[in-house]
Each structure stands twice: as C-alpha cells, then as structure tokens.
Amino acid sequence: MRGPSDNADMNPCVGAFRRLTTAPEPRPRGGRAGAAVRAMLGLILLLATLAAWPAGGEMVLDASRTDVDGWPWARILKEGDRPLTADEAFAADAAFGPPPQVHGNLGPHTRALWLRLPLRMAADDPGAWWLDLGFAGVDRVDVYLFEGGRVVQQARVRNTAQFSQKPLRTRSHVLPLGAQGGAQAEAGLGAQRGASQELLMRFESSTALLVPLRFVRPADYLAAESQQQMVQGLITGIWLCLLVYALVQWAALRERMFFDFALSSAAGSIFFLCYFGHGPQHLWGENAWMVGNGWAPAILTMIAANAMFVHDALDVARFEPRLARALRAVAIAAAAAMVAFFAGWIDLRAVAGLASAIGPLPTLLGTAAAVFSMRRGNRAAPFVLAGWGVVLVGTLLMVCMQRGWLPLEFWLEHALQFAMTIEIVLWMFVLAGRVKDVRASEAAARLENGRLHTLAFSDPLTGLLNRRGLYLALEPSLSAALPSGAVAVYLIDLDGFKPINDRFGHDVGDALLIEVGRRLQAQMRGPDLVARMGGDEFVVVIHGIGDDIAAHAAGRRLLAALRGPFAVAGITAQVGATVGYALAPNDACDVSRLLKCADAGMYAGKQAGKNRVVRGAMQPDSPVLTTPDAPRAGSAV
C-alpha cells in the first residue's frame, strides 16, 4: 500500500524543488546567485511540505487525537465514460493520483470521482469517530471499507432523499466510523481496531465537490456544529426581520422596490438554508424534492429579484435606459431558467453553471448604475455602491470556490452569505431613504392639494370662503339644525363702497374689503363662518341661535362692527351696511333657499333706507318681510 512518502513525485512541492534545483545553465550575470535563491526557495517549499505531509503510509486514528484531516493521505481517480464498481476502482490503485493542492475542494466534475484513503484505527483507541464527507450540496457519496482486498462494509449518503434516511441527522454528510452503538453501528462503518484498512469513496455532484474529509470525535463535531448553528440562526434571523419589514412597507406604500427586496431576502434565506443543509435539517427534511433541488429555484429567484431591486431602487430607467434594459434582461433570463428547470429542460448542473455566469451581473450592472446615480445626487447610491462592493467580493469568492480554485475554509465558504448580509443591512438605508422620499412626496402632495383646495374654495383677495366653499362648509350644519338651536345666515351688502372705490382706486377698495372681512371674523365664535360672495357682499353664518330676537341682536352687532371708520392705504374711509338674514330650519333647510331668503331681507332693507337688519322670507312670487315683533314681521335698525 502506497502512502504519500512513497509517491514523492506526486507532491507538487517536491516537483517544484526539483525544477528549481535543476535549472538551466546560469546566466552570465548573477547566475550562481539566482540558482542559489531558487535552491533556497525549493528547499523551503520541500521542508514546508514535509512538515505537513504524513510520515507513514496510512492515516492512524489513536486516542491522542480528536480531529484528523484526511486530505493529505487521499488520492483521487476520475471515472471515465463507464461507471466503475468498487472492486474495479480498488484494483486500479496505480491510476489514483494526488488530489489538487486546493485543500478540501475538488471543483466541478461532470463525472463521478473516486477518492482513496488508507487508515488504521489504533488498537487502544477508546471511542468512536465520525467521518465528515462533504457539504450538504454533494448529491451522493458511496463509501466502501476494504480490508484484505475485499469490501467488508459499505454505506451511502445522498441529498436527494428524505433527511430521516441519513445515517446521522447532521446538515453535512457524516458517517459513523469505528465503535458505535445502536442504529449508528448499522448505518455507519465499523472500522476494526488495529487493522490496516482502506476507505474507497465515490462522489457525485451537480455542483462543486467540497470534501472536508475530516475524522472527528462526535463530541468535537457537535461542539463545532453548535457554533455553526448559532451563526446561521443569527444570520437567518436578520434576513427574516428584514423580510417582514420589507413586506410591511410594501403593503403600506405599494412600492415595488420593497417587494423586490422582500423576494430577494426570502430567496436568499432559502438558498443558504439549502446550501449549508440547515433547511433539510430543521424545516423540509421529509420533502425529498426540496432536499435535493430547493437551492436551484431559490438562487434563480434571488438573481432576478436583485436585478429588479437595482432597477427600481436607483430608478435606472430614468437616467440610463441601456442599463435598465440589461437589468431586465438578467431578470428575464433567470425567470426563464427557472421555468426551464421546472419543465425538466435543464438540470441542476445547468442551473449551477447559469447561476455562476449571471449571478454577478446584477451587482456589476448595479455598481455602474450606482456610480451614475451618485453623480446625479442620489442619496441612496453610496449605500448601494458600498453594499455591492462587498457582495461583489463575496460573489467572486463563491464562484472561485465553486470552480475549485479556493480551499474549503470557513470564511471562504461563508463569504457570500456574510457579504450579502452586510449588503441587505446597507440596503436598509436605501429603503429608509425611499420611505423618507415617499413621505416627503405625500407631504408635498398634501400641501399642493391644500393649495388647490384653498384656490377652489376661498376668495383670493380676503382669504375668506367663496360661494363654493360656503356651500361645502354650511351643508353639514343645516342637517343638524333645530328650531331651538337655529343656524342664522346673514347677507351683508356694504353701503357707500362704490364711491370710495371710484375716488381712491381699486387698491384702496381692495384694502377696505380685506379689513371688512377681518372685522366680521373678529365677531365669530368657533363654528361660525364668514364668506365673501363677490363685490362688496359678505355672508356670515352663526350657529346656535335661540330665536329671532337673538338672531336680530346678532345682526345689529355685525352692523356695529362695520360702523367705525376704516384706516386703509393711508386714508380714512367710512361705509355702512345693510343686512338681510334667514334662519334654518325655520325659513329653509338648504343653502340656496336660505341665501335667497337673506337676499330678500337685504333687498328690503335697501328699499327701506339702508343701514338696517331685516329678516327675509321667500314667497312664490315676491319676498315677504316681517316686523321684529311678529313671527313674520320685518324689522329695521
């Protein structure tokens, strides 16, 4: 049985040492010094390799160790067009070669890959071991334990079956090895203590083959796994909180950007739960389809949602139509790939390749869009740019890892997840900015509506209600009017206003009308109204009038308020007024008839000599005036 020490030519560091120390003839200048430097570097590489390379031909599991890296002892064989049986693969010992120097990462392979590892469990080893075969995305692993050239035990793990069928209910592919008890002994590999054996493993995966190949004590595995679970629980909790926030904002504001964010958060959570195996372990372990395929629609949905979030958050269509079309094309491509996957036209391997190709595009296009948007003063653009800068690094690391260019290491394995968590937290500033903009837009709209309402229902000169505003404000009061608490409507026409307007001009006349409105407003209580009907006519509405005597007295107070001189525009002017009034519901119950009644009273007052208060009542042909002492008598002051 050959070990790494028997195959020094398979060690690339040894090969590098040989190449460096057998360099071509030295150059005329500095040749010897260059050769010495190359020899020194080669020696350093060789010593470093020998320090990390196992000394014996087989890996030994003994009582002094709790966590053993099996990667240095492993050798690999790529399966050809015809699948190999375990005996055929075992017999092809000479065809096995060293694994890539990227630790724990065999990269993508369209065909199955065999991995061979010699081991011996020490006779005095007291406890059990667990073999960590690979991350949850590996489709299938067949494990054979050979002793004396024949298979003594075998086991299988896969991610396309129900979670309860796994040998151990762990998120990654783990097999019991050594002294186990109960069901674990039946599902695992009972390696014999003191015997030299070989593990032969056949891997199949539609994505990269990430193979930790760790031999670890159960207690140590569970301790490390508890930290992993805590990290994933914290990250998933952050994503779920942001998902709920985005859905609430979308429901409240109806902004599509919030729905894009929520969809991206949900899809990202599902993808990482599938990728790291926590989803099957805790949520959908008995759904075989989700266990094996759930990550594919999740990552395609995340790509499409990210593209549309970039499109909407930065309003790309408004200032850069070509970028907007490119982002929509990415979203459409991801959606079409999802349809093709569900229709069975493409498989998981094609989805993985497509996701690696178009996955970085929303970030790359979004970075360009953020730069353009930032130049135009978009406050959200710096946060978007910072988030995408982080996630671009994480995406590139993820792609490099899926291509087999980076080793299997905790921070590299979680780089994209950590980067996207930072990104969505930064996106919260974008969402907060959009909420602020929406509220500002609503406030501006309310101000504009208020301005339009003011223009439509108020007099532009005095700021009082106009005819339309008076109708709108008075109608609700009339429906609740009672004879014991009547609503009095006074129509006031100024006496002597036209001569002042003609003599001193319209500026003085306008100033006088404004001052008249102010004096009338000074006589009002909370619910009372003052309106200008046009020209020199004003309407006053007073609520809660007990009887006609009280209404008449209120009219006299209005006349008294207008009797004093007006100092306007540098002159002193004096006008009088004639007041006609009507009561609701006594005289009428609608605004038009009340104004007609009051107009009839005002007209009668003009005929009777002006400067008086008269109650009017409408008759079929002509107004009938009443006296102050009788229910329908006219009265004058």
Side-chain angles (χ1 to χ4, degrees), residues 410-424:
F410 176 83
W411 292 104
L412 293 176
E413 186 180 10
H414 294 77
L416 179 59
Q417 187 181 30
F418 291 153
M420 293 189 67
T421 302
I422 295 173
E423 176 197 34
I424 63 172

Side-chain angles (χ1 to χ4, degrees), residues 535-617:
D536 59 351
E537 283 189 349
F538 293 82
V539 171
V540 172
V541 178
I542 299 178
H543 297 78
I545 296 293
D547 52 23
D548 183 65
I549 296 176
H552 199 276
R556 289 200 303 271
R557 287 195 297 273
L558 295 175
L559 277 183
L562 301 177
R563 190 171 291 128
F566 293 87
V568 293
I571 67 166
T572 300
Q574 191 160 356
V575 294
T578 302
V579 180
Y581 71 96
L583 299 177
N586 309 67
D587 299 325
C589 292
D590 63 88
V591 181
S592 297
R593 290 185 60 82
L594 281 172
L595 289 175
K596 288 179 180 179
C597 289
D599 183 69
M602 185 271 294
Y603 181 79
K606 291 281 189 181
Q607 296 296 319
K610 302 181 181 180
N611 197 30
R612 60 192 63 225
V613 178
V614 180
R615 180 181 178 185

